[in-house]
C-alpha cells in the first residue's frame, strides 16, 4: 500500500535523484558497503501505487550511492502466499549477504518478527507496521489519516452531487485510517455530504490490494448509488476504480503515488488528486541512516509536518480549491485539527 506527492510543496520527485558535483563522490564512498534487499508486497514493482513508491526510493539511493545491480535485490510476494513464504524471502536476502533489508507492507510483521533476531548484523526496516521491536529493526509508518483528510476535503468540494465514496483494498486497521481521515475531511468541508464506504476483501484475504475487477465493480455500485467522487485506497485495484469513473463520467482520487502520473492514458483525466504517501522518502532515509551510521531502531512516523503525506496537484483539476485545502492542511500541522484514525 507509502508516502508521497510532494514533500511540502507537492513535488513528486523522490529525494536523492540528483547530487551536486561536490557530494557525489562522498555519497558513493559512504555507500560502498551497502547491499540492499527489498521485499515487496503483492503487486511488486509496477503496481503504480504503494510498491512503486518504495521502488522509487530504492532507485533514488541506487543512483545516489552509485550502486551496481549486484548490490541490490528485489523480491515480490505472491497472491495468497502463506507467511512462511514471506519469512523465507527475508531469510533468503539475509543469507545472500544483503545487509539492509526493507519489508514493504504490514503483511511482513509476523515474518520479520521471526527473522530479525536471527540476523543481528543486518539492519531491517518494515513499512506500515510498528508492532515488532528489535535493536536492528526500524519501523517506518505514516499519518495516512492526515493526507486522507485533505483528499476528503477535495472530494467534498468537487462533488456536484454532495455524495462521495471510499474504497479500501482490505478491511484492516491501516486502511481504516485512510477511511477515517477521508470521511472526516469530507464532512469538515461539507457537513451535508453523503458518504459511502466499501472494502473489497476481508483478512486473511489480501487480494483486494491487487484486483482491478473487484475495484471496478465496487466503484460502479457506489457511482450508481449517487456518488460522483471516489477515493481508492486499494493498491493495484485502484485502476479498476479509475476505469469505472471514466465510464460513469465521474471523478476519482488515487493513493500512495501521484496516480495522475501513473494511470493509463485513457483514464488519467478522471484522477483529480492523490493522497501521497512518501514511501520513497522513508526508504531513502532508512538507507541513508545505514550508510552514515545513524541508524536508529524503533518507529518513525512520517506525517504532514514531516512531508510524509500530502496531496497531489497534477493535472490542474483542483487548482481552484488549493487555497481552501491548504487552510485545512495548516490547521492539521499546527494542531488545530486532530484527525481521527478509526
Amino acid at each position: 500500500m507509502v508516502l508521497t506527492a510532494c514533500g511540502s510543496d507537492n513535488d513528486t520527485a523522490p529525494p536523492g535523484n540528483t547530487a551536486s558535483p561536490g557530494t557525489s563522490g562522498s555519497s558513493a564512498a559512504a555507500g560502498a558497503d551497502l547491499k540492499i534487499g527489498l521485499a515487496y508486497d503483492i503487486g511488486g514493482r509496477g503496481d503504480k501505487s504503494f510498491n512503486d513508491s518504495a521502488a522509487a526510493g530504492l532507485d533514488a539511493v541506487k543512483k545516489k550511492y552509485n550502486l551496481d545491480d549486484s548490490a541490490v535485490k528485489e523480491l515480490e510476494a505472491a497472491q495468497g502466499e502463506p507467511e512462511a513464504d514471506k519469512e523465507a524471502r527475508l531469510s533468503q536476502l539475509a543469507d545472500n549477504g544483503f545487509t539492509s533489508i526493507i519489508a514493504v507492507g504490514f503483511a511482513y510483521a509476523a515474518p520479520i518478527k521471526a527473522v530479525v533476531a536471527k540476523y543481528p548484523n543486518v539492519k531491517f526496516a518494515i513499512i506500515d507496521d510498528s508492532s515488532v521491536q528489535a535493536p536492528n529493526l526500524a519501523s517506518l509508518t505514516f499519518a495516512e489519516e492526515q493526507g486522507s483528510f485533505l483528499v476528503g476535503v477535495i472530494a467534498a468540494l468537487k462533488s456536484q452531487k454532495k455524495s462521495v465514496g471510499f474504497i479500501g483494498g482490505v478491511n484492516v486497521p491501516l486502511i481504516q485510517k485512510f477511511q477515517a481521515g477521508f470521511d472526516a475531511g469530507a464532512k469538515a468541508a461539507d457537513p451535508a455530504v453523503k458518504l459511502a464506504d466499501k472494502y473489497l476483501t476481508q483478512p486473511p484475504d489480501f487480494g483486494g490490494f491487487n484486483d482491478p475487477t473487484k475495484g471496478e465493480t465496487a466503484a460502479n455500485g457506489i457511482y450508481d448509488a449517487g456518488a460522483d467522487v471516489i477515493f481508492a485506497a486499494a493498491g493495484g485495484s485502484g485502476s479498476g476504480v479509475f476505469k469505472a469513473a471514466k465510464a460513469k463520467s465521474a471523478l476519482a482520487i488515487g493513493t500512495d503515488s501521484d496516480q495522475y502520473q501513473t494511470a493509463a492514458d485513457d483514464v488519467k483525466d478522471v484522477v483529480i488528486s492523490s493522497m501521497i504517501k512518501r514511501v520513497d522518502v522513508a526508504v531513502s532515509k532508512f538507507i541513508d541512516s545505514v550508510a552514515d551510521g545513524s541508524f536508529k531502531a524503533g518507529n518513525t512516523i512520517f506525517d504532514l509536518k514531516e512531508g510524509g503525506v500530502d496531496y497531489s496537484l497534477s493535472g490542474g483539476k483542483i487548482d481552484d480549491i488549493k487555497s481552501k485545502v491548504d487552510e485545512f492542511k495548516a490547521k492539521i500541522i499546527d494542531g488545530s485539527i486532530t484527525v481521527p484514525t478509526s
Side-chain angles (χ1 to χ4, degrees):
M1 281 171 36
V2 136
L3 194 147
T4 50
C6 343
S8 60
D9 62 358
N10 289 342
D11 178 3
T12 59
N17 277 352
T18 60
S20 67
T23 61
S24 59
S26 60
S27 293
D33 296 327
L34 287 174
K35 292 207 67 177
I36 306 167
L38 199 66
Y40 291 113
D41 204 348
I42 298 169
R45 181 187 282 267
D47 73 343
K48 303 184 185 302
S49 185
F50 178 62
N51 289 292
D52 268 357
S53 188
L58 179 65
D59 291 343
V61 297
K62 188 175 179 181
K63 182 175 182 179
K64 177 177 181 178
Y65 295 109
N66 194 28
L67 302 176
D68 60 30
D69 290 342
S70 66
V72 176
K73 182 70 173 179
E74 301 172 63
L75 299 175
E76 178 183 331
Q79 187 90 12
E81 69 177 15
E83 287 187 348
D85 287 0
K86 289 182 173 62
E87 183 178 335
R89 185 173 301 115
L90 298 174
S91 296
Q92 177 187 341
L93 290 168
D95 289 338
N96 287 333
F98 293 93
T99 52
S100 302
I101 297 175
I102 304 155
V104 184
F106 64 85
Y108 280 96
I112 211 165
K113 183 177 182 179
V115 168
V116 66
K118 299 177 184 178
Y119 301 95
N121 295 322
V122 174
K123 297 295 190 294
F124 289 90
I126 183 168
I127 295 168
D128 281 350
D129 182 81
S130 61
S131 65
V132 183
Q133 286 79 45
N136 56 330
L137 174 63
S139 297
L140 312 175
T141 62
F142 302 85
E144 293 93 352
E145 72 282 359
Q146 294 182 355
S148 298
F149 184 101
L150 298 182
V151 297
V153 170
I154 290 167
L157 294 179
K158 282 295 180 179
S159 175
Q160 299 296 312
K161 298 181 178 181
K162 290 187 175 294
S163 181
V164 301
F166 169 84
I167 292 178
V170 183
N171 191 2
V172 292
L174 174 66
I175 306 304
Q176 290 164 13
K177 288 172 66 181
F178 286 81
Q179 179 197 336
F182 176 79
D183 289 354
K187 284 293 188 180
D190 182 359
V193 74
K194 295 180 180 179
L195 304 173
D197 302 307
K198 174 73 174 179
Y199 289 90
L200 300 182
T201 61
Q202 302 290 326
D205 179 1
F206 290 93
F209 288 132
N210 195 34
D211 194 330
T213 300
K214 274 192 172 71
E216 182 178 2
T217 300
N220 280 329
I222 293 175
Y223 288 131
D224 288 344
D228 56 356
V229 187
I230 291 177
F231 172 37
S237 300
S239 62
V241 177
F242 303 156
K243 185 177 178 180
K246 183 70 173 182
K248 301 291 184 180
S249 298
L251 302 173
I253 296 172
T255 195
D256 294 337
S257 301
D258 181 351
Q259 294 200 285
Y260 178 87
Q261 301 291 348
T262 61
D265 289 342
D266 62 333
V267 299
K268 69 187 305 178
D269 61 311
V270 307
V271 182
I272 59 172
S273 185
S274 296
M275 195 292 279
I276 303 298
K277 180 172 169 177
R278 298 301 305 260
V279 178
D280 58 328
V281 171
V283 168
S284 297
K285 288 191 173 184
F286 166 69
I287 296 301
D288 285 344
S289 76
V290 175
D292 65 19
S294 64
F295 169 85
K296 185 174 73 170
N299 188 30
T300 298
I301 301 174
F302 296 83
D303 59 10
L304 271 177
K305 186 174 182 179
E306 295 294 326
V309 293
D310 214 317
Y311 70 97
S312 65
L313 289 164
S314 297
K317 307 281 187 178
I318 60 168
D319 290 350
D320 58 324
I321 61 169
K322 181 180 183 299
S323 61
K324 294 181 180 179
V325 179
D326 285 344
E327 288 177 11
F328 283 104
K329 179 179 176 179
K331 290 179 179 179
I332 294 171
I333 291 173
D334 71 18
S336 300
I337 293 176
T338 300
V339 184
T341 58
S342 63

